[in-house]
Amino acid sequence: MRIDVITLFPELFERFLAVGMVGRAFSTGAAQARLRNPRDFGLGRHRSVDDTPYGGGSGMVIRVDCVVNCMEALDAEAVTPGETPVRAHRLLLTPQGQPFTQQKALDLASRPAIALLCGRYEGFDERVRSFVDEEISLGDFVLSGGEVAAMAVIDACVRLLPGVLGNAGSIEHESHSPALGGLLEYPHYTRPVEFRGLRVPEVLQQGNHAAIARWRGQQAEMRTTERRPDLWEKVKKERS
């Protein structure tokens, strides 16, 4: 899987791409990352990529030509010599986008290449939207730039790639996974059996796997109804 990141601050990703499960994905070759600054395609002596908005208003707007030239240059380059270039599935990170979900992470992780477009300032010239495939949001809030959102998307996707997690079963029964029917994950416990009056449930200590499975299913439903009633309503509709 190839992941291209278009950002004015590529240095923010250098450490992120080198540690933990994300670092393993890129060090083992399960994924390849390319960071590209739109300023490489900026204008004038200062490599300007933004300008004042038409119609007036505060802030600066990122130019469409600089961004599109950057994305197209990445698509024209092969990751390795002799390889046929692949056009990335382009994602604009914006609070106006569709909510990012586990299902979307599964979809993106199955693609050969994605490009994450990180904004800054007052955002992009509206015409940028004509050159992307999807718009994605982490939630109903605004960040100072798209870099943190891009990191979240990268983390969610690369952990799904084969061989990245030490135990492939780790992603099967987790919150929002198909195996759990989209529910929140059930509670987990480990030693000690008791800590300050809080005990590990007896059913988990008895080794009855059928009973444990029933308990975990009940706990997943209970946790979802209590913490995410909106999600529980969605699950009920899908079950009916």
Side-chain angles (χ1 to χ4, degrees), residues 147 178 194:
E147 287 76 16
E194 182 174 347

Side-chain angles (χ1 to χ4, degrees), residues 100-122:
F100 184 59
T101 64
Q102 186 66 18
Q103 189 58 48
K104 177 53 63 177
L106 288 163
D107 169 50
L108 297 178
S110 69
R111 295 179 179 273
I114 64 173
L116 303 171
L117 186 52
C118 306
R120 283 276 165 169
Y121 315 130
E122 286 298 312

Side-chain angles (χ1 to χ4, degrees), residues 125-239:
D125 183 301
E126 181 68 16
R127 291 168 290 183
V128 167
R129 288 184 159 87
S130 298
F131 297 89
V132 300
D133 301 301
E134 288 189 75
E135 299 180 33
I136 285 182
S137 170
L138 291 191
D140 296 335
F141 55 91
V142 178
L143 298 169
S144 58
E147 287 76 16
V148 171
M151 291 179 190
V153 172
I154 292 171
D155 191 302
C157 290
V158 300
R159 64 186 297 275
L160 300 173
L161 299 176
V164 174
L165 293 182
N167 182 358
S170 298
I171 64 174
E172 292 182 5
H173 290 81
E174 61 182 4
S175 294
H176 312 293
S177 66
L180 280 183
L183 297 171
L184 299 182
E185 192 172 4
Y186 46 78
H188 292 277
Y189 295 87
T190 188
R191 295 178 179 83
V193 170
E194 182 174 347
F195 180 74
R196 298 183 182 179
L198 302 173
R199 289 187 56 82
V200 176
E202 293 298 326
V203 65
L204 299 180
Q205 303 178 52
Q206 295 169 357
N208 185 329
H209 297 294
I212 291 172
R214 286 194 299 272
W215 180 86
R216 285 175 170 171
Q218 293 166 356
Q219 290 294 312
E221 290 189 356
M222 184 184 306
R223 179 159 288 193
T224 305
T225 57
E226 291 176 351
R227 301 184 180 190
R228 289 288 305 277
D230 59 319
L231 186 59
W232 175 241
E233 289 301 317
K234 179 181 177 182
V235 170
K236 287 198 299 182
K237 287 181 181 179
E238 292 175 350
R239 289 179 175 180

